[in-house]
Amino acid sequence: GAGVSQSPSNKVTEKGKDVELRCDPISGHTALYWYRQRLGQGLEFLIYFQGNSAPDKSGLPSDRFSAERTGESVSTLTIQRTQQEDSAVYLCASSFNLLSTDTQYFGPGTRLTVL
Amino acid sequence: AQTVTQSQPEMSVQEAETVTLSCTYDTSESDYYLFWYKQPPSRQMILVIRQEAYKQQNATENRFSVNFQKAAKSFSLKISDSQLGDAAMYFCAYPAGTYKYIFGTGTRLKVLA
């Protein structure tokens, strides 16, 4: 596709339920990133993927959060047993390389609301 | 610790006027890049401009330019001839390491007609 896409655009769930958020990166981009953006705040790094390398999960806030990516394609961020503090916009970005010089291209995000 | 600080939660500018958004950062690195991203209400972050720290010359992209003061660790964004479409949240970002970006808390820019 022309850009990074994310689905769903909005997700409302009940506390305790599991949710899956999807990210489709730009074709050919080897690096993929997940961020969390709480209301009125900046972006909080969660996890990145680079090709087939093991992802860096150091930013994940708890073991309820996990993410997968198959090769250089779609990624899924899963939040188990959601809590109200998980309510945020979850942004995905991709870049051609895993380099700090490379521009990250962001998707429109998924707004998660946990009731 | 590497940090990025945006001290202006909100700024307003009259259409066609110029506004400057400030950003300071803290790093012990000597060679790095800095980025300004724009986030309109659609939520999609868009790269506005980036600066290479080893370059003396300030980056410019049309109406957007930066004032990069390496010694002061300051990276401000100047928007000239402001347009209604410039209204958005603006985030300053610094890549801490190979891939981990640190973002500031953002500045909300309002453009007044």
Side-chain angles (χ1 to χ4, degrees), chain A residues 31-104:
Chain A
L32 185 147
Y33 314 78
W34 282 99
Y35 294 89
R36 178 170 69 179
Q37 185 179 27
R38 289 194 163 119
L39 185 64
Q41 297 186 21
L43 276 67
E44 176 188 358
F45 169 82
L46 296 178
I47 188 171
Y48 90 92
F49 295 88
Q50 166 67 9
N52 293 315
S53 303
D56 182 334
K57 305 178 181 180
S58 61
L60 295 178
S62 79
D63 58 8
R64 296 186 295 105
F65 287 72
S66 63
E68 291 183 349
R69 186 186 187 196
T70 305
E72 296 180 359
S73 60
V74 171
S75 175
T76 303
L77 177 68
T78 302
I79 309 174
Q80 296 177 308
R81 306 181 302 282
T82 52
Q83 304 294 312
Q84 289 182 331
E85 62 261 28
D86 298 335
S87 295
V89 173
Y90 289 83
L91 290 163
C92 174
S94 70
S95 64
F96 187 68
N97 281 310
L98 185 65
L99 295 171
S100 60
T101 58
D102 262 6
T103 298
Q104 294 188 28

Side-chain angles (χ1 to χ4, degrees), chain A residues 56 101-102 104 106 108-109, chain B residues 33 39 43-44 50 98-99 101:
Chain A
D56 182 334
T101 58
D102 262 6
Q104 294 188 28
F106 285 81
Chain B
Y33 284 70
Q39 187 179 41
R43 297 199 307 245
Q44 192 148 8
R50 72 178 198 173
T98 306
Y99 57 83
Y101 282 68

Side-chain angles (χ1 to χ4, degrees), chain B residues 19-54:
Chain B
V19 66
T20 298
L21 311 183
S22 67
C23 172
T24 58
Y25 59 96
D26 187 23
T27 181
S28 56
E29 302 288 329
S30 59
D31 189 16
Y32 47 88
Y33 284 70
L34 293 160
F35 300 82
W36 275 100
Y37 280 90
K38 169 185 177 181
Q39 187 179 41
S42 66
R43 297 199 307 245
Q44 192 148 8
M45 300 274 283
I46 303 164
L47 177 69
V48 174
I49 198 167
R50 72 178 198 173
Q51 173 76 42
E52 300 167 54
Y54 66 87

